[in-house]
Amino acid sequence: MGNINEGYGRDLDLNLLRVFVVVAEEGSLTRAASRLYVTQPAVSASMRRLATFVGAELITRQGRGVALTTRGAELLAAARAHLQPLIAAATAAPRFDPRLSTATIRFGLADGLESVILPKLVAQLRAEAPRMQFIVLPVQFRTVEESLLSSKIDFAVTVADELPKSILRQPLTAHQSGPRAFVCLYDARFTRLPRPLTERAYFAHEHVVVSYAGDTRGIVEDALGKARTVRVAVHSFGHVADLVEGSSLVATVPSLLAGHLIRARSHLHAVPVPFSLEGARLELLWSRAADDDPAGRFVRGVVANVVGSLEGKSVKPLTRSGAVRRTR
């Protein structure tokens, strides 16, 4: 079998074979042109080009129509054998069975979401796609665009600002603002906070701050222009609970994360912050180039369902007893 590049080097337009098959089926250049929605001269030109490429006449005049030569009949049989599978492959709907898929999906999760989302997500994916593999990487709003466009990850679950149109986005949580977007997390054995929490009491305590810039500024400093007494600043919400539990430190965390931490640690409590903070909306992000990947689309759907179910269970904000406290 010859190298396929030889054919391309001789300028074979594969569409010529399609025209040839239609001419052979119709037995007429005019009827073939009508069926192909082109002019009869265009069909004639295509047949001449194909004959030149093959090096032999493929059709001959017969009455008001055309008939195949011996070489043309041979080419018709070979062309049909190959064109039909190509057409079927191009028009067939993609088949994807998550139970049989062995795809590896790489996705990014924003800070603090691993412990909230992954347990339930992995359990559901193991049940529905037992042979797929998953690689989870950390992302944040500063790095998510580059990670997606460079194909380091297939999709991300995070918050984000402006993104190019080449990145698609699907909201996973409602936009939050006000005292319920964030809560103040503390260990009730070592710290007492008034209910409702006042600004004076809030700023009187020592704080754990999450800072992605490597300083002591967090969301409160940026939003209110007021500085807390920061005892320790960390780069991830994943460290906050360990620092708060067993100490008198307090931390300001998103409600979704606080609900998980309270359920997992019996001594932690949460109370609404005494001021309004803007909570960014959690989104599912993926590149437009990966939009039609069936494995990625399946996993994104599972992620959306899992996050949706967890959002209904997040703190409103919670105390240990589950009671909802109001701020005035």
Side-chain angles (χ1 to χ4, degrees):
M1 183 176 179
N3 191 313
I4 192 170
N5 289 326
E6 296 175 5
Y8 287 119
R10 295 173 60 191
D11 296 326
L12 173 62
D13 181 353
L14 295 180
N15 188 56
L16 298 178
L17 293 175
R18 174 172 170 266
V19 174
F20 167 67
V21 170
V22 175
V23 169
E25 291 175 347
E26 294 294 338
S28 166
L29 298 178
T30 302
R31 290 195 297 271
S34 177
R35 180 171 160 186
L36 292 168
Y37 298 99
V38 297
T39 64
Q40 190 270 337
V43 173
S44 297
S46 294
M47 295 306 299
R48 288 194 298 270
R49 287 177 58 198
L50 184 59
T52 299
F53 181 87
V54 173
E57 291 298 326
L58 303 174
I59 59 174
T60 183
R61 290 283 180 182
Q62 182 172 287
R64 294 185 178 181
V66 295
L68 295 178
T69 65
T70 300
R71 183 68 181 92
E74 292 174 351
L75 181 59
L76 177 63
R80 278 177 168 166
H82 293 286
L83 285 177
Q84 192 56 45
L86 288 174
I87 294 172
T91 58
R95 294 183 179 181
F96 175 74
D97 187 343
R99 296 168 298 176
L100 303 178
S101 175
T102 58
T104 297
I105 301 295
R106 302 169 64 90
F107 60 92
L109 287 182
D111 176 27
L113 291 181
E114 295 92 341
S115 59
V116 179
I117 293 176
L118 276 183
K120 186 171 182 179
L121 176 61
V122 170
Q124 187 165 336
L125 288 172
R126 286 188 66 189
E128 298 185 26
R131 300 174 65 183
M132 293 181 71
Q133 291 183 319
F134 307 96
I135 299 174
V136 184
L137 301 171
V139 294
Q140 54 167 284
F141 63 93
R142 292 188 180 94
T143 63
V144 65
E145 179 179 338
E146 189 274 335
S147 295
L148 287 170
L149 295 182
S150 65
S151 299
K152 291 180 181 178
I153 55 176
D154 297 297
F155 65 86
V157 179
T158 185
V159 298
D161 296 323
E162 293 296 322
L163 292 171
K165 292 182 179 180
S166 55
I167 295 179
L168 303 178
R169 52 205 307 172
Q170 173 185 342
L172 295 178
T173 61
H175 184 79
Q176 290 186 315
S177 62
R180 292 200 174 189
F182 288 82
V183 296
C184 190
L185 191 71
Y186 66 100
D187 189 329
R189 297 172 300 173
F190 298 90
T191 303
R192 290 186 178 276
L193 295 180
R195 300 175 183 277
L197 180 61
T198 62
E199 282 198 35
R200 181 176 180 179
Y202 177 88
F203 284 102
H205 282 78
E206 293 185 331
H207 292 254
V208 178
V209 170
V210 175
S211 172
Y212 300 121
D215 53 25
T216 58
R217 291 182 62 84
I219 186 173
V220 173
E221 284 74 17
D222 292 338
L224 303 182
K226 295 182 179 181
R228 291 169 285 184
T229 302
V230 177
R231 181 56 53 199
V232 58
V234 293
H235 70 278
S236 169
F237 280 106
H239 303 296
V240 166
D242 292 328
L243 293 170
V244 170
E245 188 171 33
S247 76
S248 61
L249 297 173
V250 298
T252 301
V253 300
S255 298
L256 180 64
L257 176 60
H260 170 77
L261 296 176
I262 290 172
R263 285 186 289 271
R265 298 171 183 258
S266 60
H267 300 295
L268 295 186
H269 290 227
V271 61
V273 295
F275 35 72
S276 179
L277 291 176
E278 196 76 10
R281 183 171 58 185
L282 193 65
E283 292 184 293
L284 187 62
L285 308 171
W286 68 98
S287 71
R288 190 177 296 275
D291 186 46
D292 62 347
D293 174 53
R297 182 175 295 177
F298 164 75
V299 178
R300 293 196 304 267
V302 175
V303 170
N305 290 335
V306 167
V307 176
S309 67
L310 291 175
E311 187 183 19
K313 298 179 181 178
S314 64
V315 275
K316 296 190 178 178
L318 294 173
T319 64
R320 188 62 209 166
S321 64
V324 177
R325 304 286 185 173
R326 295 182 178 178
T327 55
R328 295 176 182 175

